Amino acid sequence: MTSLPAAADREPAPEGARAYILWPRDGTVVTGGKFWVRMGLQNMGVAPAGVRREHTGHHHLLIDSDLTNPNEPIPNDKQHLHFGAGQTEARLELPPGKHTLMMVMGDADHVPFDPPVTSDKITITVK
């Protein structure tokens, strides 16, 4: 039987660490479905997945989803995009409708920091 990692096993978040979405802004209306997402980070560094450096991690973008269990690695699927090469921007395509976006920083193993370093959840509309 495998046990889940305890919160004490998670990497500690640096003091004052903050993730944010530079673009799009909350309430943006995107025409055509394709757009760039630009991700920002404060008081922390970006490193590719698998690279262990103090106070560094990589971006994950949650689309129409929430961070459900910060003690487990962030899933890798259409609602949980991994930017394990250290990317800070990405081109997305979403279907028409309202969508939420939220960034979460993950450690070398895609596990959120303790406490989680996340952006505010924003809502965009795709037309």
Side-chain angles (χ1 to χ4, degrees):
M1 183 169 150
T2 305
S3 62
L4 294 175
D9 294 338
R10 291 173 32 211
E11 293 286 327
E15 185 72 30
R18 181 174 81 90
Y20 52 94
I21 298 172
L22 290 163
W23 179 257
R25 297 201 185 278
D26 191 34
T28 295
V29 176
V30 176
T31 303
K34 291 183 182 180
F35 60 98
W36 284 94
V37 173
R38 292 188 170 88
M39 302 165 272
L41 188 61
Q42 185 175 5
N43 294 330
M44 216 176 149
V46 175
V51 173
R52 296 186 192 288
R53 287 194 187 121
E54 187 176 31
H55 299 171
T56 65
H58 61 281
H59 297 287
H60 297 80
L61 186 65
L62 278 55
I63 302 170
D64 299 328
S65 185
D66 292 308
L67 181 62
T68 55
N69 186 345
N71 292 322
E72 293 182 0
I74 298 164
N76 190 3
D77 56 33
K78 289 181 179 183
Q79 288 185 284
H80 304 84
L81 303 182
H82 288 229
F83 298 101
Q87 306 97 308
T88 58
E89 63 181 14
R91 184 103 166 131
L92 293 186
E93 184 172 4
L94 294 176
K98 285 194 181 236
H99 299 279
T100 61
L101 304 174
M102 184 173 74
M103 259 201 23
V104 179
M105 290 303 291
D107 67 12
D109 299 316
H110 311 284
V111 177
F113 287 82
D114 185 17
V117 177
T118 65
S119 71
D120 291 336
K121 184 184 280 191
I122 66 166
T123 300
I124 64 167
T125 302
V126 174
K127 290 194 174 205

